[in-house]
Amino acid sequence: MARRNIFLIGFMGSGKTTVADHLGNMFNMEIAEMDQIIAKRQNMSISDIFATHGEDYFRNLETELLIEMQSKDGMIISCGGGTPMRDNNVEEMKKSGKIVLLKASPKTIYERVKENHDRPLLEHNKNVPYIAELMEQRREKYEKAADFIIETDNKDIRQICEEIRNKL
């Protein structure tokens, strides 16, 4: 039996990387961090890709990587926060796996990202109201893309991963 891929989506700071690492160990599955793969292939940080080539260029690289991932099986793929904003990206993910939306409150997101400088869309807007506004802009697409939604506030990593395992 082929193992399906698990795509983790959600706003930056929602816990995708941490959850991917834990699920990888739990299910003995390989992990792919889309942002890391793109940064390595482009030989520059995500912030530099945005600054040099623009967001559209970066989003095109995401789409190409998702198409490439279809040939993989049994992977946990941590997507960039904006990946599900393109309908064709969601279609590509659905072809080879389940999409899990990790949700957290704007305040939780702020606490998780306030010391991080690798998030170009937040770099000069690290405050709860801006994060809440951007999350609301993305909410409909995120929820439409998701096969199921996991709330991460006030849960530890083990609880989150058990909830994902039960829903899969």
Side-chain angles (χ1 to χ4, degrees), residues 21-68:
D21 288 343
H22 200 84
L23 281 178
N25 290 332
M26 195 172 172
F27 292 139
N28 193 24
M29 291 169 75
E30 191 181 337
I31 299 162
E33 280 283 339
M34 286 184 62
D35 284 356
Q36 280 181 10
I37 293 167
I38 291 169
K40 186 175 180 185
R41 288 180 179 178
Q42 294 292 303
N43 205 20
M44 59 174 71
S45 71
I46 300 301
S47 296
D48 288 345
I49 294 169
F50 267 69
T52 307
H53 301 289
E55 186 175 356
D56 266 355
Y57 178 85
F58 176 75
R59 299 295 171 209
N60 290 336
L61 295 173
E62 284 182 322
T63 303
E64 289 167 20
L65 185 54
L66 286 170
I67 291 167
E68 186 183 317

Side-chain angles (χ1 to χ4, degrees), residues 15 19 30 36 41 45-46 49 55 63 67 93 99 108-109 111 114 118 121 127 133 135 137 147 158 163-166:
V19 170
E30 191 181 337
Q36 280 181 10
R41 288 180 179 178
S45 71
I46 300 301
I49 294 169
E55 186 175 356
T63 303
I67 291 167
M93 288 187 271
I99 302 174
T108 299
I109 299 286
E111 290 301 323
K114 65 183 178 186
D118 297 330
L121 294 178
N127 59 70
E133 181 185 323
M135 287 175 76
Q137 289 171 13
D147 289 303
R158 189 190 52 74
E163 199 173 326
I164 291 171
R165 176 168 49 193
N166 293 338

Side-chain angles (χ1 to χ4, degrees), residues 24-168:
N25 290 332
M26 195 172 172
F27 292 139
N28 193 24
M29 291 169 75
E30 191 181 337
I31 299 162
E33 280 283 339
M34 286 184 62
D35 284 356
Q36 280 181 10
I37 293 167
I38 291 169
K40 186 175 180 185
R41 288 180 179 178
Q42 294 292 303
N43 205 20
M44 59 174 71
S45 71
I46 300 301
S47 296
D48 288 345
I49 294 169
F50 267 69
T52 307
H53 301 289
E55 186 175 356
D56 266 355
Y57 178 85
F58 176 75
R59 299 295 171 209
N60 290 336
L61 295 173
E62 284 182 322
T63 303
E64 289 167 20
L65 185 54
L66 286 170
I67 291 167
E68 186 183 317
M69 291 289 180
Q70 287 176 22
S71 65
K72 309 276 188 198
D73 210 27
M75 291 190 70
I76 296 165
I77 299 153
S78 177
C79 301
T83 306
M85 299 313 291
R86 281 189 172 179
D87 292 339
N88 62 324
N89 285 351
V90 174
E91 289 167 23
E92 296 304 332
M93 288 187 271
K94 295 228 183 241
K95 287 178 186 175
S96 66
K98 292 283 185 194
I99 302 174
V100 179
L101 170 59
L102 300 178
K103 285 180 91 172
S105 71
K107 186 177 184 320
T108 299
I109 299 286
Y110 171 75
E111 290 301 323
R112 291 176 182 168
V113 303
K114 65 183 178 186
E115 302 299 327
N116 187 299
H117 299 286
D118 297 330
R119 303 179 190 274
L121 294 178
L122 284 186
E123 188 52 40
H124 302 292
N125 294 294
K126 280 196 195 130
N127 59 70
V128 173
Y130 180 79
I131 290 169
E133 181 185 323
L134 194 52
M135 287 175 76
E136 182 53 32
Q137 289 171 13
R138 293 181 171 190
R139 184 179 57 80
E140 189 178 339
K141 288 226 183 236
Y142 279 177
E143 290 176 359
K144 186 175 170 234
D147 289 303
F148 54 88
I149 299 169
I150 304 290
E151 297 285 348
T152 64
D153 284 344
N154 305 313
K155 292 178 187 167
D156 66 30
I157 188 66
R158 189 190 52 74
Q159 291 170 307
I160 295 164
C161 291
E162 285 295 330
E163 199 173 326
I164 291 171
R165 176 168 49 193
N166 293 338
K167 294 204 181 214
L168 287 172

